[in-house]
Amino acid sequence: MSNRDDTVFIGAKQWSTYDIRYQQINMTILRELVGGKALIFIVVLGLGGTFQNGFHLTAISSPTPYIQSFINSSWTYHYGDIPGEKTVTFIWSAVVALYALGGLIGSMTVRYFASHLGRKGTMLLNSAIGIVATVIMYISKPTYSFELILVARFLFGFGAGLGGNVHAIYLGESSPKKIRGMVTLTAATFLGLGKLSGQFAGLREILGREDCWNILLCIPSFFCMVQLAILPFFPEAPRYVLIEKGNTQQCKKALQSLWGPGDYKLEIQDMLAEQAVIGKEHNKSLLDLLREKHLRWQVLSMVVINGCIQFSGVAAITVFSFNVFLEAGIPVDKIRYVTLGIGASEVLLSITCSLFIETVGRKVLLWRGFGGMSTIMALITVALYLKDYSSVISYCTVVLIFLFIIFYAAGPAGIVPSLASEIVIQSYRPAAFMFTGLLRWLGFTMFGFIFPFLIAFLKSLSFVLFSCICLIAALYVYFILPETKDKTLLEISQEFKNIRVCGSSTEDVMCLETKL
């Protein structure tokens, strides 16, 4: 047999080995999920967690003109005069902004509630808040009170900020090391499902009508009630029970309840080792997190990656896609269905990402995702410049938007929200999620104010800026961020400690060394 044939044979053998290993990993994951209550636990937690945020992000767009009309009529009903256009616009802006403000404040309370009520107690409280907000939203229409809409939107945002973060913490602290990435990624999957459900329910054929807008915004409360009814039958997060409460036996029972029979010696040993390092120093504050010298690379990683996500252009694509689809010749009444297709693509790719995360790893998915997003943004800039030369260019832009969502959903969208749970040890974790929540909601608010001016000033060149930001994120992940797959939190912490700047502080040239 020739050398070439040998090479082909060896390559086929290597691929076959990889394929078998991939199948074995998937079978192991399947056994883990069905061995106990884990699968039901993930679904119940997701429906009362990030699903709520995703639904409210997209569902509010469909009834916008109806809510604005209601603000006008309710003002007249209560005050006897017709409000000016600026007044209605200001109140509507407040309806939108209060959701972000509520999310910001909800993120700031993560450490307090997660530490005092536990992960399960906080999620139950969050669902109760969601039901209260739903009742307020529903009665706003029959009482002709736009003020109640403002209160409900704030509470919805508060629940999104609190529940979204605690959802990721709960998942990360309940899953075994070997499938931790796949389990925590489900938080992003349910966020995408929430967005898709909001878009679908907002269709004119479903609830996107003037007489149903308050019912549309109340749909998530059903899933809050499901969580309130079922979640009490599930255990508290095992890591929280052992490391913070010191109850090894209850931790073992929690693991067995979720993942099936077993002694879980390795998992418990990892937790005990982490507990020994932490000692009695639990529930660190945000200031403690920012002051801790050994966590500076972790903090910097959270700032860079979360900041780049907020200013990567995802929000810009969402805003700009309507105009692009319109220019491509898609009828106005059909554009909503195209955006529905984008939402479905995000969900499917998030699920696909969860199947590969334990074999490919977090780092590869992150830097390739950001790198692809950077390239697509650059191509979109070129396409926008050339759109007047050919009608085909507009269709190419539509394809590029879909590709951008593919790269986003297949990497950063799934991994970034739960990143803090994998790079920060137990005592700092609530503070870390509080920090990332602040970054996320502040970035969301800032971008909302900046983008209209940015697009007016730079026009299509703003997409070059987004491309550069995505490139920065890709380079940072590739050269700095350690891989977290199949590693304990103490091993990951050591990886970050191995990233060091050598040389004295007075030297002009610094040498960066990293073991990746």
Side-chain angles (χ1 to χ4, degrees):
M1 185 179 291
S2 66
N3 292 336
R4 181 179 178 182
D5 292 337
D6 290 341
T7 303
V8 173
F9 176 76
I10 293 171
K13 184 177 180 181
Q14 289 176 340
W15 172 251
S16 178
T17 302
Y18 175 83
D19 192 41
I20 292 172
R21 181 173 176 270
Y22 175 73
Q23 291 178 0
Q24 289 174 339
I25 290 174
N26 280 341
M27 289 299 296
T28 301
I29 291 172
L30 183 61
R31 284 195 298 268
E32 293 276 0
L33 290 175
V34 300
K37 303 176 183 177
L39 189 59
I40 301 174
F41 170 75
I42 290 170
V43 173
V44 171
L45 201 60
L47 292 175
T50 51
F51 179 89
Q52 304 286 319
N53 184 20
F55 189 96
H56 287 295
L57 283 175
T58 55
I60 192 66
S61 63
S62 178
T64 295
Y66 309 135
I67 296 177
Q68 290 175 334
S69 175
F70 174 77
I71 291 171
N72 195 319
S73 60
S74 62
W75 180 285
T76 305
Y77 178 83
H78 283 288
Y79 302 109
D81 60 334
I82 299 175
E85 183 178 346
K86 290 183 178 179
T87 302
V88 175
T89 302
F90 175 78
I91 296 173
W92 170 247
S93 299
V95 169
V96 176
L98 279 171
Y99 184 81
L101 178 62
L104 180 63
I105 296 176
S107 297
M108 294 173 65
T109 63
V110 168
R111 174 179 167 268
Y112 176 82
F113 286 115
S115 300
H116 287 77
L117 300 180
R119 283 48 170 164
K120 183 168 75 170
T122 303
M123 289 303 297
L124 292 173
L125 172 66
N126 192 66
S127 287
I129 292 172
I131 292 174
V132 171
T134 298
V135 172
I136 294 173
M137 177 63 77
Y138 183 79
I139 65 175
S140 64
K141 188 175 182 180
T143 57
Y144 284 94
S145 175
F146 67 84
E147 294 90 347
L148 291 180
I149 298 178
L150 297 173
V151 175
R153 284 287 290 176
F154 174 82
L155 291 176
F156 283 139
F158 183 89
L162 175 62
N165 285 312
V166 178
H167 179 194
I169 295 175
Y170 203 169
L171 287 174
E173 294 183 358
S174 300
S175 53
K177 177 180 65 177
K178 56 188 174 183
I179 60 170
R180 185 178 58 215
M182 191 210 72
V183 173
T184 54
L185 197 144
T186 59
T189 302
F190 277 96
L191 178 66
L193 280 171
K195 291 179 181 178
L196 181 61
S197 299
Q199 292 171 334
F200 180 76
L203 294 175
R204 190 180 301 276
E205 297 85 347
I206 311 297
L207 293 173
R209 304 185 301 273
E210 186 170 8
D211 58 329
C212 297
W213 64 262
N214 61 328
I215 299 175
L216 170 64
L217 299 178
C218 291
I219 286 178
S221 65
F222 170 77
F223 301 107
C224 288
M225 289 188 287
V226 169
Q227 187 175 88
L228 279 174
I230 300 178
L231 192 59
F233 296 98
F234 288 92
E236 180 60 90
R239 298 188 71 87
Y240 171 78
V241 169
L242 193 152
I243 297 176
E244 296 197 24
K245 298 300 180 182
N247 194 326
T248 305
Q249 193 61 32
Q250 189 177 347
C251 170
K252 184 177 179 179
K253 288 181 179 180
L255 288 169
Q256 291 172 337
S257 173
L258 290 173
W259 306 104
D263 54 18
Y264 296 96
K265 287 183 179 179
L266 293 177
E267 295 294 336
I268 292 175
Q269 285 174 2
D270 289 341
M271 296 180 202
L272 290 172
E274 188 176 342
Q275 186 188 44
V277 172
I278 295 171
K280 296 182 179 180
E281 298 180 358
H282 296 299
N283 305 326
K284 295 290 187 177
S285 67
L286 178 58
L287 287 177
D288 292 330
L289 174 70
L290 298 177
R291 289 171 179 169
E292 178 57 57
K293 294 181 180 179
H294 298 300
L295 295 176
R296 286 180 179 174
W297 278 110
Q298 285 92 323
V299 171
L300 179 61
S301 298
M302 287 186 281
V303 171
V304 171
I305 296 175
N306 281 278
C308 288
I309 274 285
Q310 292 301 315
F311 293 91
S312 65
V314 172
I317 285 292
T318 304
V319 173
F320 202 71
S321 60
F322 181 88
N323 292 331
V324 173
F325 294 147
L326 192 64
E327 290 181 14
I330 298 174
V332 176
D333 59 334
K334 302 298 182 184
I335 291 179
R336 189 178 299 277
Y337 300 98
V338 178
T339 56
L340 196 64
I342 292 178
S345 301
E346 185 175 346
V347 174
L348 291 174
L349 284 162
S350 177
I351 295 172
T352 304
C353 179
S354 68
L355 298 176
F356 288 96
I357 189 171
E358 297 300 343
T359 52
V360 178
R362 286 70 154 160
K363 182 173 179 175
V364 173
L365 291 174
L366 268 179
W367 76 259
R368 286 182 179 176
F370 277 120
M373 291 162 66
S374 176
T375 303
I376 296 300
M377 276 296 180
L379 292 175
I380 287 176
T381 305
V382 175
L384 291 175
Y385 266 108
L386 300 177
K387 66 179 181 179
D388 295 330
Y389 293 93
S390 173
S391 59
V392 178
I393 300 296
S394 294
Y395 289 96
C396 292
T397 309
V398 174
V399 174
L400 289 173
I401 289 176
F402 270 92
L403 288 174
F404 181 85
I405 296 299
I406 287 172
F407 279 106
Y408 170 69
I415 296 171
V416 172
S418 59
L419 182 67
S421 68
E422 293 207 328
I423 66 174
V424 178
I425 60 175
Q426 184 79 17
S427 55
Y428 288 95
R429 190 171 295 120
F433 272 92
M434 175 180 172
F435 182 58
T436 55
L438 288 173
L439 291 174
R440 187 182 310 117
W441 288 99
L442 280 175
F444 178 76
T445 305
M446 287 174 58
F447 190 84
F449 283 110
I450 292 173
F451 180 68
F453 300 99
L454 191 68
I455 199 70
F457 180 71
L458 294 177
K459 300 187 182 302
S460 58
L461 285 177
S462 59
F463 289 89
V464 175
L465 177 62
F466 299 143
S467 177
C468 293
I469 291 172
C470 291
L471 180 61
I472 290 170
L475 293 174
Y476 182 88
V477 172
Y478 185 82
F479 288 106
I480 302 295
L481 191 71
E483 177 58 75
T484 61
K485 180 173 72 77
D486 293 333
K487 295 178 182 176
T488 66
L489 290 172
L490 294 181
E491 290 171 341
I492 295 167
S493 297
Q494 187 59 46
E495 289 277 352
F496 276 101
K497 288 180 182 179
N498 291 340
I499 304 172
R500 62 186 183 274
V501 177
C502 60
S504 65
S505 59
T506 57
E507 292 178 347
D508 294 330
V509 180
M510 308 300 286
C511 174
L512 180 66
E513 295 181 355
T514 178
K515 295 181 181 179
L516 299 178

